């Protein structure tokens, strides 16, 4: 067994590999780019090496620098994670040439599966059913057009070097073929530097069902299937295991085909054989076809771990170190059901645009396996994939696991960036999905309903306003003293293109009336926190410029700077102590009218005198301090009201 391994990756997968490796007693070396110096995976590792600039081409894709780092830190093996160098056969060869072990398959196995057309030819020869279509080398457009007619419409054009759903075009009619071909080739050229394509019959009501395989370089076993049919633009969104509606007969046929595929290339380590399944008439043993093999650990591997009770990373490390396969086929059984949802920083209404931002708060509920690459306070950087975390749940049945997923998503808290959390939540509560009626078109058909924005009720506005004013967190006598003196306080918030000034009137520390555009919301503090019109508050997070209320997967409010606008807390309340200090002098009395800018109180703090002035014209309703008083930061000193309120 190794004593030290290097993890050539970042984010959630690096963190996940490090956790297992450390639990096995191994020392872990992380690598990171400049911008990742404080990243979670660096914190979790025993040692870390900076390998270059933020752009992947300057760091995480620098195989030579990574191999040097492994040698310098005494690592004997390199785990590639997924993405980056994980499916790069030249890197595997370089690792081995340096006398190190690559935790994964051989360079040759990766090459054999690297291009979709040659992989399909190889699988066909090994007796694995493949999607019917053209997978020849002749790329002449005229020839491809003729082949397309033989395949029949609708069809898919796919980049042979494709991945991540790129370089694919669905073509429904012959007259669209030439144009679609040009566009698929252009996309493939930019994304993969290889514009060769293949043509495939488009399977109706397609389901994506893949089989997890594991080999020792000689024999292989399978760890059953995952259903990844919930996709948006050919990208997986929610995955599950086992597949809904799977029969014992079809499972056996798919498992055997996947093992055959792995053994045909003497596969070593964890891999996935992806099949497309015709779901139009139920699952039948003759209704599945090989699409491609991913020669790495897959993003969605945790659902398999959950139902099989194995740690695939542990298996990877043990087999790479020369141990035999940790299980024989008959040892492996399915226990219950598991789901995974991919949480991304993305702007769903803007067309699922990747988003950036700093995670002011990131918290997951109990009972959910959250595989995160970031934590509260971290930035989602524009340099990398905007995935925040994967939420994985397990249950004794599909129905229970799905409830756990829905609940887990509802109770997840993300503040600081927009996310697809609400979209995932809507999927987890989708009726067709609950019935197991999955196919790759489900999301597209119901997109509008799944993207429906949250309804922001007056109660949610009220909670946001009270949170913004700092009235929800403090408790007890102190809160009563420092926050209670004011009459109406006002705060300006923006949400969904609407700007509102919200008034809050406290009745003691545990009750308030909140005025939201003509409506009044009653807030009260009970044993389980604040309620708004009797309904429990959702919880909130406040930063300088934003308030997030965790209702409906998180509603974000922008909070315009009150000083810049001359409205808000300060102006409404008259004067709040900006810092702890001593009152030097008071310049107004109750009932007195003041103009904006008039001197109210002089405070001595940090050995300097600070003059606090009226933020707007009004009448002095209360003077809460006298000369010589010591005051806390935030304490109201003078309360102003509008002259007509007085
Ligand atoms: P998978 O089949 O494992 O879900 P996809 O097919 O969605 O992965 O992704 C295609 C390619 O993008 C693969 O090379 C995969 O390793 C990489 N990839 C997918 N998701 C991520 C991610 N969150 N971060 C980095 N690379 C990723
Ligand atoms: P990638 O390398 O980008 O993962 P795949 O070949 O795995 O590309 O295909 C990605 C997705 O596209 C599949 O998961 C499936 O949803 C859809 N797809 C691929 N081939 C077909 C097909 N022949 N018919 C219908 N859908 C398909
Ligand atoms: Mg794929």
């Amino acid at each position: 067994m190794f004593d030290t391994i290097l993890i050539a990756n970042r984010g959630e997968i690096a963190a996940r590999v490090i956790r297992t490796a450390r639990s096995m007693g191994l020392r872990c070396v992380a690598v990171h780019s400049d911008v990742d110096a404080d990243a979670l995976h660096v914190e979790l590792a025993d040692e870390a090496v900076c390998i270059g600039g933020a752009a992947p081409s300057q760091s995480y894709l620098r195989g030579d620098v990574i191999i040097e780092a492994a040698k310098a830190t005494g690592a004997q093996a390199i785990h590639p994670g997924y993405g980056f160098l994980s499916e790069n056969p030249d890197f595997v060869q370089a690792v081995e040439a340096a006398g190190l072990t690559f935790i994964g398959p051989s360079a040759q196995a990766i090459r054999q599966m690297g291009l979709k057309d040659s992989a399909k030819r190889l699988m066909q020869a090994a007796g694995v059913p493949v999607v019917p279509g053209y997978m020849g080398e002749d790329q002449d457009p005229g020839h491809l057009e003729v082949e397309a007619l033989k395949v029949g419409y609708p069809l898919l054009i796919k980049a042979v070097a494709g991945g991540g759903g790129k370089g694919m075009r669905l073509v429904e009619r012959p007259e669209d073929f030439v144009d679609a071909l040009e566009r698929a080739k252009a996309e493939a050229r930019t994304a993969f530097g290889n514009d060769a394509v293949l043509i495939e019959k488009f399977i109706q009501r397609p389901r994506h069902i893949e089989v997890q395989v594991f080999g020792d370089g000689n024999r292989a076993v399978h760890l059953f299937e995952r259903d990844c049919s919930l996709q948006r633009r050919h990208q997986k969104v929610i995955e599950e295991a086992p597949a809904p509606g799977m029969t014992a007969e079809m499972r056996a046929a798919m498992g055997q085909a996947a093992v055959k595929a792995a053994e045909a290339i003497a596969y070593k380590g964890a891999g996935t054989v992806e099949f497309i399944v015709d779901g139009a008439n139920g699952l039948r043993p003759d209704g599945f076809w090989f699409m491609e093999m991913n020669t790495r650990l897959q993003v969605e591997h945790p659902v398999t771990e959950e139902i099989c009770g194995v740690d695939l990373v542990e298996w990877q490390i043990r087999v790479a170190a020369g141990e035999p396969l940790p299980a024989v086929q008959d040892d492996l059984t399915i226990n219950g059901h598991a789901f995974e949802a991919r949480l991304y920083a993305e702007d769903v209404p803007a067309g699922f645009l990747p988003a950036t931002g700093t995670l002011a708060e990131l918290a997951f509920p109990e009972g959910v396996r959250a595989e995160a690459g970031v934590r509260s306070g971290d930035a989602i950087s524009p340099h990398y994939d905007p995935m925040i975390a994967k939420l994985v749940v397990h249950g004794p049945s599909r129905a229970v696991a799905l409830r756990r997923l829905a609940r887990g998503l509802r109770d997840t808290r993300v503040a600081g960036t927009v996310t697809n959390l609400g979209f995932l939540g809507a999927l987890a509560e989708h009726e067709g999905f609950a019935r197991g009626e999955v196919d790759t078109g489900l999301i597209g058909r119901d997109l509008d309903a799944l993207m429906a924005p949250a309804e922001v009720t007056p109660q949610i506005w009220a909670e946001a306003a009270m949170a913004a004013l700092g009235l929800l967190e403090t408790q007890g006598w102190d809160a009563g003293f420092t926050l209670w003196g004011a009459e109406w306080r006002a705060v300006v918030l923006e949400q969904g293109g609407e700007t509102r000034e919200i008034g809050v009137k406290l009745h003691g520390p545990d009750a308030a009336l909140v005025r939201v555009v003509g409506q009044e919301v009653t807030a009260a503090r009970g044993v389980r926190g604040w309620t708004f019109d009797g309904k429990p508050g959702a919880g909130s997070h406040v930063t300088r410029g934003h308030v997030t209320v965790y209702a409906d997967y998180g509603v974000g409010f922008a909070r315009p700077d009150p000083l810049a606008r001359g409205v808000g807390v300060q102006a409404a309340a008259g004067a709040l102590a900006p810092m702890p200090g001593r009152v030097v002098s008071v310049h107004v009395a109750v009932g007195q009218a003041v103009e904006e800018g008039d001197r109210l109180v002089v405070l001595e703090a940090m050995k300097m005198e600070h003059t606090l002035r009226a933020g707007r014209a009004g009448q002095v309703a209360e003077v809460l301090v006298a000369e010589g008083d010591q005051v806390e930061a935030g304490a109201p000193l003078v309360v102003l009201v509008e002259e007509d309120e007085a």
Side-chain angles (χ1 to χ4, degrees), residues 44 63 258 264 296 353 415 417 484 495 502 511 528 562 625:
L44 294 175
R296 54 173 158 91
L353 228 58
T417 178
W484 182 27
Q495 205 288 321
I502 301 164
R528 295 196 299 126
V625 290

Side-chain angles (χ1 to χ4, degrees), residues 415-594:
T417 178
V418 291
T419 73
N420 65 343
L421 189 61
F423 174 70
L424 295 175
L427 271 173
E429 292 180 1
H430 185 278
E431 285 178 15
F433 183 42
R435 286 194 297 268
E437 291 164 5
V438 293
D439 70 87
T440 63
L442 182 146
I443 290 180
R445 284 193 301 274
D446 286 344
L447 197 58
D448 288 345
L450 292 166
M451 285 178 28
E455 191 210 339
V456 187
T457 61
Q459 291 77 21
I460 296 175
W461 280 95
E463 187 168 359
M466 287 190 62
L469 291 170
L471 299 176
L472 300 179
E473 307 305 332
T474 40
Q475 229 173 346
W477 180 85
D478 217 28
F481 175 73
T482 53
L483 304 167
W484 182 27
E487 277 278 291
W488 285 98
R489 294 144 167 273
V491 63
V492 176
L493 294 174
E494 288 175 10
Q495 205 288 321
E498 266 185 273
T499 302
R500 292 182 174 181
E501 186 170 13
I502 301 164
V504 179
K505 187 178 192 169
L506 280 180
H507 302 295
D510 294 331
L513 193 64
V514 188
R515 194 185 283 160
V516 185
V517 198
Q519 247 183 292
E520 284 186 345
V521 175
T522 306
R525 195 206 302 266
V527 275
R528 295 196 299 126
W530 283 89
T531 59
F532 297 86
D533 286 341
K535 283 182 229 116
S540 57
H541 188 274
V542 181
T543 58
R544 213 179 137 69
H546 284 95
V547 179
T548 303
V549 175
Y550 295 117
D552 237 325
Y553 307 101
V555 180
F557 295 82
R559 202 180 165 194
D561 186 344
L563 298 177
R565 290 243 192 154
V567 292
V569 190
Q570 206 92 8
L576 300 179
M579 58 198 80
R582 188 181 64 86
V583 177
V584 175
S585 53
V586 178
H587 297 269
V588 289
V590 173
Q592 188 179 329
V594 295

Side-chain angles (χ1 to χ4, degrees), residues 116 158 162-165 168 208 210 231 234 236 272 274 291-294 296 298 300:
K116 291 183 202 286
K158 278 190 195 178
M168 277 179 51
H208 174 120
E210 58 186 35
Q231 302 185 350
H234 310 303
K236 300 162 186 168
T272 296
E274 294 190 333
M291 271 193 305
E292 64 167 346
M293 179 166 181
N294 293 324
R296 54 173 158 91
Q298 199 102 335
E300 59 274 19

Side-chain angles (χ1 to χ4, degrees), residues 287-334:
F288 70 91
W289 301 274
F290 172 90
M291 271 193 305
E292 64 167 346
M293 179 166 181
N294 293 324
T295 50
R296 54 173 158 91
L297 194 66
Q298 199 102 335
V299 175
E300 59 274 19
H301 74 276
V303 292
T304 298
E305 297 184 321
E306 292 296 319
I307 61 159
C308 293
V310 304
D311 182 331
L312 286 168
V313 173
E314 181 200 303
W315 280 28
Q316 285 187 301
I317 295 171
R318 287 170 59 192
V319 166
E323 287 189 26
L325 272 181
V328 296
Q329 194 65 55
D330 288 344
D331 294 340
L332 296 163
T333 52
I334 297 177

Side-chain angles (χ1 to χ4, degrees), residues 129-194:
V130 304
V131 190
Y134 174 75
M135 43 201 156
E137 277 169 6
D138 188 344
Q139 292 287 312
D140 173 66
H143 179 72
L144 289 173
E145 208 176 344
V146 174
E147 291 294 336
L149 274 179
K150 287 193 215 156
V151 173
Y153 288 82
L155 55 78
L156 271 178
I157 303 174
K158 278 190 195 178
V160 301
K166 289 201 200 75
M168 277 179 51
R169 280 284 179 292
L170 170 63
V171 196
E172 317 234 25
R173 304 172 310 170
E175 51 269 45
D176 300 333
F177 183 81
V178 175
D179 188 46
L181 178 66
E182 261 170 38
R183 287 193 289 141
K185 277 185 174 289
E187 199 172 305
R189 226 175 355 253
T190 359
F192 313 110
N194 174 354

Side-chain angles (χ1 to χ4, degrees), residues 141 191 257 359 389:
L359 296 167

